[in-house]
Structures are given as C-alpha cells and as structure tokens.
Amino acid sequence: MKQKINLLIAFATMALVVLCAIQVYLVKTTYDYKVEQFRTEVKEKIGAITNNYTELDSSLFFRKEIIYKNLAQKFINDKSYREQIKSELTGNEYRNVLTKHLRQKLRKEFKDNEIEFAFVVNKFIVFENTAKSDTIFSEKPSIKNLVYGDLASLDDAFIVRNYVGTTGGFKNPGYRLLTEDCFYVSVKNWEQIILGRMAALLVLSIISILVLVTLFVIAIKALIKQKKVSDVKTDFINNITHELKTPLTTLSVSTKMLAREDIQQNQETFRKVIDTVERQNVRLQHIIDQVMSNSLGFENIELQKEKVRITDLLQTIIKDFKLAFPNVIIFEEFNFSDTVITLDKFHLTTAINNVLENAVKYGCQNITLVTSNNDGMFSISIKDDGIGIPKAKQHLLFEKFYRVEQGNVHNTKGLGLGLYYVDQIIKAHKGSIKVASDLGKGASFTLSIPTV
Ligand code: ADP
C-alpha cells in the first residue's frame, strides 16, 4: 500500500513537472514570437520612414558611398593606408550631422518608444580586375565599426536592413570595392513592452500553475492522512484484539474449571479460580473504560476543579505508585512545595499515572520528578531512563491510537491512548505538554499547567 502511494506520488509529481515544463515552453515560445512580431513592426515602420523621407535615405546612402569610395581610392593609391581605413570610417566627417538628422526623424515617428540606431560596416574588400582581392576587413558586425548612429552596443539591437554593395569608377581602372553594412536599431525597454503585451497570458499561466500545485499538494496530503488514519485504525484493532484476548482466554479456561466437580469440591482452588475471574473482569472493564474515557476531546471534558497543594498530590501519587512498582526507584526534586493550584484531582492523577506507568512499561529503572514554577505556569517533569523515543516520532506521540512500536504489538501492551489522554487533560487545564527524548537515552515529559 505504502509502495503504491509512493508510486502514485512519484507519477503525479512527474506529470506535474512535465505540465509545468510544457507551460514554461509555451510561454517562452510566445515570448519569442512576440519579440519577432515587435521587431517586424519596427522594421516596417522604419521602412515607411525611409519611404517618407527619401532625401534622408538617399543622403545616408550617398554619403556612405562617398566615404567608402574615398577611403578605397586612398588605399589603391597607397597600400599602407590600410591601417587607417577603420579609424577613418568611424570618424567620418558626416557622422554627427547624419546621426542627428536621422535621430530627429526617428523620434518624430516613434513617439511612444525611445529608439537608438547604428550603421556598422562589417566587410570592406577591394578587388583588382576581379581576380585579385584585398580584404581590408571582413568580420562580424561590431559597434567598433560604426559609421553613423548613437548606439553604444549591439547587444540588445537587431538588424533592420543589410546592404551589400559594389562600387566602381576609381581613377585606376579595373578596381572595384565590395562593402557590407547593417542598420541596427534598439528600442529602449523593449523587454518591458513585450512583457506588457504578454501580461494577461503570464498572469493566467502563473495562476493556473499555482492552482495546480496547490491542488496537488492538498490531494497528496489528504492521501497521506487517510493512509495514516487507516494504519492507526488497523494498529488499534490489532492492539485491542490482543488486549482482549488474554482476559477472554483466561475467563474461558476459568469457566471450564468452575464446571468441573473436583474444583467445586476443593474450596481453596474454587476461590482462586473465582479470584481470577474477578481480576479478568476488572481488566476487561479497565480496557473498556480506557476506550470510553478517550471518546471526548479536551473541549468537552468537564473538569471537577478544586484547590490542591500540588506537592501533596504528587506525593500521594508516588506512594501508590511505589506500592504497584516496588522495583522502580523514584527521585523527587520538589521546588515550590507549597504551591496551591485549582485542578481536577482525579483526571490529573490519572494523567500523571499514565506517564509514570509508561516509564515503567518502556524499560526504566529510575524515575526523577522535578517541579518548577515559572511565569504563572507550574511544571512537573517526569524523567526516566528507559528505551527513549526517536526524535522523528515525537510529534505523533499525543495522537489518538498512536504507538511507536507499530508492528511489534506483543512486546508491550497498549492501545496508544495513554498520552492522548494526558494531552487532552492538560489542554483542558489550559496547560501544555512537552517531550524531550532520544532513542536509548530515556524520555522526559513535562506537564505544565497555569497556577491561576
Ligand atoms: P501505549 O498504550 O502504547 O503505551 P501511549 O499513548 O501511552 O500508548 O504512548 C504512545 C507511545 O509512546 C507508546 O507506544 C510508546 O512507544 C511511546 N512512549 C510513551 N512513553 C514512553 C516512554 N516513557 N519511553 C519510551 N516510549 C514511550
């Protein structure tokens, strides 16, 4: 069953992860699509600008051609000029004027967005009689090769146009120049613009994933809880069957014995069997009482409160306890011995007895009782040197029917109701209970109740 639940959780988790991954993929695809759509819009708008301002477009082209041609001519005349070509390109005489001019036009057309641009050259090759070529440079587009523009980096920019052109007509016939340049633009805050366009989709996606994860967690929690409840019930049935079996078997044997004539004639044996029947009867009654007394939660327990000198009560409990368990040594460290508390004597006595009996049941030789009084709370710590309780199980101790030794029910008898009862009684007194323990290191239960 446990394996089945684990398998179910594993599959459901995997399905959820796949579903989340698909959702993320879909959002990412939409984002990429929106980026492309946005760039196309910008490209189309820039295309329209160059159509509207043909004189600007042609002057950009025309000037660029002049710059390229002049530089190529100088190179043809003197090959050592090669080193200066790049710096002459980027520091060309038209750069400031044309940048300013184009910026103004772009601002006028893109009223809602701040736009920056760059013309960069990435190829500059001089051909001699088409057979022999001299590559001045041929590289990836870089902002270092800026001809016009105000962009500081190409990182967030995208290509709007790409121009490849050849120029002839040099003083030296047979020479031609091949250039490639790109027009880059970048829209400020373009990511916010796209995220803004995707806001509804993003919000809906996040909400649906959150709802899905929450539903998943609730379902798994409910499943685990149900499994726990069913385990606890099975344990309880096993335990109570075991608890009832012994007195019932003894009663059945005793009844058979009482029916025998030889037993009836022997007064002493007859009395002994009757005593056994009585003892088993009391035991059965005790088991039924234990189950019945735990049917109420602490909210419904009616306390019969009276003023009690707490140390006197503890001493009476210890006296009776020593009679029942003469082999266990009890140490008392009673402070604030004259404290008087209003409490239900019967219920609190039963609760303390439950803790003391547990200490014996779970292997102790010595018990130490320590009392303290802090901030209006009177505390009774009951420390034992028994088998102890693993840390991981401690938060379950006060649950109804819970037993640490599940599956090992025959070692120590019990119904898993003792500590539940203690917790309910202490809560009914508006107090609290704490446990400190570790496996093999004994256990310490501290019951605290308000002094007023
Ligand atoms: P039970 O009838 O099993 O004793 P309780 O509610 O009294 O039920 O205790 C719950 C479980 O807590 C027990 O099954 C036992 O494993 C563990 N426990 C309680 N008291 C002690 C103790 N003093 N030392 C070790 N284990 C304890």
Side-chain angles (χ1 to χ4, degrees), residues 213 277 335 410 422 451:
V213 171
V277 170
N335 308 303
H410 297 288
V422 178
T451 46

Side-chain angles (χ1 to χ4, degrees), residues 118-351:
F119 269 99
V120 293
V121 202
N122 38 309
K123 260 189 199 141
F124 200 95
I125 304 168
V126 177
F127 286 91
E128 191 183 347
N129 296 322
T130 60
K132 198 172 156 230
S133 70
D134 225 327
T135 305
I136 313 299
F137 61 87
S138 172
E139 50 200 42
K140 279 188 187 159
S142 156
I143 198 69
K144 282 188 214 141
N145 302 336
L146 183 76
V147 186
Y148 323 123
D150 48 11
L151 256 175
S153 147
L154 296 183
D155 288 349
D156 269 342
F158 56 95
I159 296 179
V160 175
R161 280 190 190 180
N162 191 326
Y163 312 90
V164 181
T166 53
T167 317
F170 292 101
K171 284 181 197 146
N172 318 51
Y175 277 95
R176 284 195 80 75
L177 169 70
L178 176 106
T179 53
E180 184 182 288
D181 47 35
C182 304
F183 180 25
Y184 274 88
V185 295
S186 166
V187 179
K188 244 196 175 160
N189 302 331
W190 64 274
E191 277 157 326
Q192 272 102 314
I193 296 168
I194 288 163
L195 287 179
R197 290 178 182 186
M198 288 178 65
L201 180 84
L202 278 176
V203 170
L204 281 177
S205 295
I206 291 169
I207 289 177
S208 58
I209 286 182
L210 284 182
V211 169
L212 216 67
V213 171
T214 315
L215 288 179
F216 174 74
V217 171
I218 291 173
I220 296 295
K221 267 190 173 171
L223 196 74
I224 292 172
K225 200 173 169 186
Q226 223 171 11
K227 162 85 174 63
K228 241 194 212 164
V229 170
S230 122
D231 283 355
V232 161
K233 274 189 185 158
T234 315
D235 278 349
F236 174 68
I237 290 165
N238 288 341
N239 291 330
I240 202 154
T241 313
H242 176 68
E243 288 284 283
L244 292 174
K245 242 184 201 163
T246 324
L248 284 176
T249 317
T250 321
L251 279 175
S252 146
V253 173
S254 303
T255 333
K256 275 185 195 143
M257 281 173 84
L258 288 176
R260 271 165 48 190
E261 232 169 75
D262 57 325
I263 301 279
Q264 283 170 8
Q265 273 157 17
N266 184 335
Q267 275 299 310
E268 199 188 334
T269 322
F270 188 74
R271 188 68 242 158
K272 268 188 190 164
V273 179
I274 292 283
D275 284 350
T276 310
V277 170
E278 264 171 15
R279 260 203 321 278
Q280 295 311 323
N281 196 20
V282 168
R283 196 166 161 195
L284 278 176
Q285 192 59 48
H286 176 72
I287 294 169
I288 291 165
D289 285 350
Q290 212 188 343
V291 177
M292 295 299 286
S293 65
N294 281 293
S295 58
L296 291 180
F298 71 95
E299 307 92 339
N300 304 315
I301 296 173
E302 276 188 28
L303 297 177
Q304 307 289 325
K305 284 191 174 179
E306 57 188 293
K307 284 196 169 170
V308 176
R309 230 175 127 234
I310 188 81
T311 315
D312 290 351
L313 178 72
L314 288 175
Q315 252 138 14
T316 316
I317 294 172
I318 292 169
K319 209 172 81 199
D320 291 346
F321 186 77
K322 276 180 178 165
L323 283 177
F325 302 99
N327 296 330
V328 178
I329 303 164
I330 298 202
F331 299 95
E332 296 166 24
E333 287 177 27
F334 290 165
N335 308 303
F336 307 97
S337 47
D338 50 359
T339 309
V340 174
I341 303 176
T342 313
L343 48 81
D344 185 311
K345 218 167 154 182
F346 170 75
H347 280 311
L348 204 75
T349 304
T350 317

